[in-house]
Amino acid sequence: MLKIAVLQNGDVEDPVELVSSPALAVGLAIEHAEARGELASDSGLWFVETAGEDPDAVVAAAGELAMDPSFVAAVVTPFVDAPAAERVFGEAGIPVFSFSGLGGDQGATTWRRVVPTAAAEAAAFGRLAGDEPCVAGRTATAPPVAGRDVGGPTDAVIAGRDTGCTAVVWLGGADGALAIARGLDAQGSDVPLLVGAAARSVRVATEGSPASVGTTAVVPCRSVDVSTERDARRFVHAYQAAHGVPPGLCAAEGYGLGRWLVAQGTRGAIARALAIGEVIPTPSTPIDLAVVAEADAAVEQIVGVRWLPLGTTDPSAVAP
């Protein structure tokens, strides 16, 4: 039996694509192992919701799961900032793998962040946004980006007419990004639109076209759905068959982590491998458990109706 605890924040637009995708990918790896007869059929994921919940209630829910010896690891999904609940698992000896850039380093041997921090995302915005960015949509799930605060989507469109605004940075969700892209386009503005991971959804590229073409996103994990690599293609097809949608934010990394957790098998083996520092292969970017230096955030841009790595214009040229 292999049980995985999952901390998630469902208070984000497009939650299946942007919030749950790495956990769902871990679950898919478990399902594949069950189908091969490698795991008992009662293995799987147990979720703890953090959005809008009393912090003490979240800690209590995490503590209840941590008391069960069947749990071998915990996964923290994007946009979660619940350090007390994460510590509950770590103190119980349950290794914790965080796909969230929020919060500080837990400083524990049983805890590892597997994506860039919010500070790394903010640095990427700084490199892209120019000297005088106008920043809108600040939320608790967004990195602290330097710039002139302008409020909501309408204010961001107005700021886009200001010649002193070198870029419009939107830190909210997809609805706001769509409104800003359309507003800037209607005004004939050439001020670039930069968005965070909360707006890096398929519908911003598809529903927003052609106004959203050229929109740039700073994300913790780059997409894998246009990769030409065999492992990536197999994963994309399997994920879409299982969930009816393409793999979302950090899904490929979640699947690689899931396969690795299955291979380790026990809480102790996972903890030992975590302490040593291994490189976990994934259908996208490998997860290096030994790296503690600040990793760079990924940057993608809408080309046509798809998100592609910045600077790429031909999807067939994309590979991990």
Side-chain angles (χ1 to χ4, degrees):
M1 182 185 301
L2 194 81
K3 289 184 178 180
I4 308 293
V6 177
L7 290 174
Q8 73 170 16
N9 175 0
D11 192 20
V12 174
E13 293 176 45
D14 305 294
V16 172
E17 183 180 358
L18 300 179
V19 174
S20 303
S21 54
L24 293 177
V26 171
L28 183 62
I30 292 174
E31 291 173 13
H32 288 170
E34 289 176 345
R36 295 190 299 266
E38 298 172 3
L39 288 176
S41 58
D42 52 357
S43 299
L45 309 176
W46 275 256
F47 289 83
V48 176
E49 178 59 52
T50 65
E53 299 292 335
D54 178 79
D56 291 338
V58 175
V59 169
E64 185 174 345
L65 298 184
M67 292 175 62
D68 184 341
S70 300
F71 282 90
V72 302
V75 171
V76 181
T77 57
F79 312 109
V80 168
D81 188 7
E86 294 175 44
R87 283 195 293 272
V88 167
F89 290 114
E91 290 169 358
I94 299 174
V96 179
F97 301 87
S98 177
F99 286 94
S100 175
L102 301 176
D105 191 324
Q106 294 279 329
T109 57
T110 52
W111 184 92
R112 192 75 84 250
R113 194 195 308 277
V114 296
V115 296
T117 65
E121 293 183 46
F125 276 113
R127 292 191 296 270
L128 295 165
D131 296 330
E132 298 291 337
C134 298
V135 183
R138 294 192 185 275
T139 70
T141 59
V145 177
R148 175 160 57 94
D149 285 310
V150 297
T154 300
D155 298 314
V157 173
I158 294 172
R161 305 177 203 158
D162 181 355
T163 56
C165 182
T166 55
V168 172
V169 178
W170 172 248
L171 300 176
D175 290 342
L178 285 167
I180 295 169
R182 290 165 178 157
L184 293 175
D185 183 64
Q187 295 294 329
S189 173
D190 59 359
V191 175
L193 172 59
L194 311 180
V195 302
R200 194 272 180 221
S201 71
V202 169
R203 64 191 181 95
V204 171
T206 55
E207 295 177 18
S209 181
S212 62
V213 171
T215 298
T216 301
V218 175
V219 291
C221 306
R222 57 196 180 94
S223 59
V224 71
D225 58 308
V226 295
S227 173
T228 58
E229 293 295 310
R230 179 176 299 179
D231 191 33
R233 299 312 308 157
R234 287 176 176 170
F235 165 68
V236 170
H237 292 153
Y239 187 97
Q240 185 144 2
H243 301 296
V245 293
L249 188 65
C250 298
E253 288 79 4
Y255 186 72
L257 176 62
R259 289 188 299 194
W260 182 81
L261 293 174
V262 169
Q264 300 302 313
T266 67
R267 184 188 298 184
I270 294 168
R272 287 191 293 273
L274 184 60
I276 293 172
E278 295 188 4
V279 177
I280 301 175
T282 84
S284 184
T285 306
I287 298 172
D288 190 343
L289 297 177
V291 171
V292 295
E294 194 74 74
D296 290 331
V299 181
E300 297 187 338
Q301 192 170 61
I302 295 177
V303 178
V305 292
R306 308 193 76 167
W307 288 98
L308 296 177
L310 185 64
T312 303
T313 58
D314 179 10
S316 65
V318 177

